[in-house]
Amino acid sequence: MSAKQPRGYAGRVPQREVVAVPELPDLTAYDAVLFDLDGVVTPTAEVHMHAWKAMFDRLFADWGITPGYTPSDYFDHLDGKKRYDGVASLLRSRDVEVPWGDPSDDPSVDTVCGIGNRKNAVFSQVLRDEGIAAYPGTMRVLDQLDAAGVPAAIVSSSKNARDVLAAAGVTDRFRVIVDGVVAEEEHLPSKPAPDVFLVAAQRLGVTPDRTVAIEDAISGVESAAAGRFALVVGVNRGAGADTLQAAGAHVVVSDLDEFADAHSD
């Protein structure tokens, strides 16, 4: 199964007017809410950032690649994308091309897949050692959605999504999970293409024009905007409010607590 792309979609997010919102909309007024995972439901973005940095610092040093890894590399090339696509994008930014390889490649192999698996090994070890907890503000919003009977879904590029949800103890809060595993099985392109969001909406039985998408990554906001979702919420965890708005977010908050506070009883 593959979701249909919006008419006229050609790999770029359509220009959208950012509408000034005098007060935060009530999320329970929509038919469903789609959540990105890392940086929206759990602070796994921090673990991912550390794992990527540790892996690329070593790789770039070993290969003599300059400039070295920088914090902006995460937001520009890795955040929100499928792991292997992110590796290829970052290497390409340094004019480095390596064979794509196969997802079964050992982490020691210098292919796109091998390098991606190398990073994943670091991430998995940190998750096992330290665990993870969901953002309290996101949990408050999920409680409000549950009380109103509004279903929620996870839309994540990570193949670790189910492990992260299980570690945080929140798997049962989401009726549908579309993650990196599903994207690979269904041959869905990475964000910023809209397919993963559209598939999640389809599996919930809702339409984009009645659905909310919440993202903290630039590519994720672009993905939701390309899918023409009724409300695209950007959560600013470091990408920048102006950048998220320019990518297509209708409203930007620093934490979902702001929605919970605005519509608490």
Side-chain angles (χ1 to χ4, degrees), residues 199-218:
V199 167
Q202 183 182 52
R203 292 187 177 188
L204 280 177
V206 297
T207 57
D209 63 344
R210 290 288 309 156
T211 303
V212 180
I214 305 179
E215 266 281 0
D216 73 313
I218 298 167

Side-chain angles (χ1 to χ4, degrees), residues 84-163:
Y84 302 142
D85 289 341
V87 170
S89 175
L90 180 50
L91 291 179
R92 199 174 299 118
S93 76
R94 302 303 199 272
D95 295 322
V96 174
E97 294 284 346
V98 298
W100 188 269
D102 185 83
S104 64
D105 283 354
D106 186 86
S108 64
V109 177
D110 289 332
T111 61
V112 168
C113 293
I115 294 167
N117 294 344
R118 198 176 309 169
K119 174 266 176 180
N120 194 54
V122 177
F123 174 85
S124 297
Q125 186 62 52
V126 174
L127 187 65
R128 288 193 298 269
D129 291 346
E130 301 180 8
I132 200 78
Y135 288 108
T138 302
M139 295 305 297
R140 290 181 62 201
V141 167
L142 286 169
D143 288 342
Q144 291 176 347
L145 295 175
D146 283 346
V150 178
I154 287 290
V155 181
S156 172
S157 298
S158 175
K159 290 185 177 180
N160 299 305
R162 290 183 181 273
D163 290 339

Side-chain angles (χ1 to χ4, degrees), residues 169-247:
V170 296
T171 305
D172 61 351
R173 304 302 296 268
F174 301 96
R175 191 176 301 177
V176 164
I177 299 172
V178 176
D179 59 4
V181 175
V182 172
E184 185 173 277
E185 292 173 347
E186 301 289 343
H187 306 291
L188 305 176
S190 282
K191 303 171 185 177
D195 298 62
V196 285
F197 275 106
L198 294 175
V199 167
Q202 183 182 52
R203 292 187 177 188
L204 280 177
V206 297
T207 57
D209 63 344
R210 290 288 309 156
T211 303
V212 180
I214 305 179
E215 266 281 0
D216 73 313
I218 298 167
S219 62
V221 168
E222 291 174 339
S223 174
R228 302 186 184 280
F229 282 82
L231 178 66
V232 179
V233 176
V235 182
N236 182 19
R237 305 288 190 193
D242 290 344
T243 303
L244 292 171
Q245 284 190 328

Side-chain angles (χ1 to χ4, degrees), residues 24-30 33 35 136-152 173 214 256-265:
L24 293 177
D26 182 0
L27 300 184
T28 66
Y30 295 84
V33 180
F35 293 80
T138 302
M139 295 305 297
R140 290 181 62 201
V141 167
L142 286 169
D143 288 342
Q144 291 176 347
L145 295 175
D146 283 346
V150 178
R173 304 302 296 268
I214 305 179
L256 294 187
D257 247 336
E258 296 175 41
F259 279 98
D261 289 339
H263 300 283
S264 60
D265 292 334

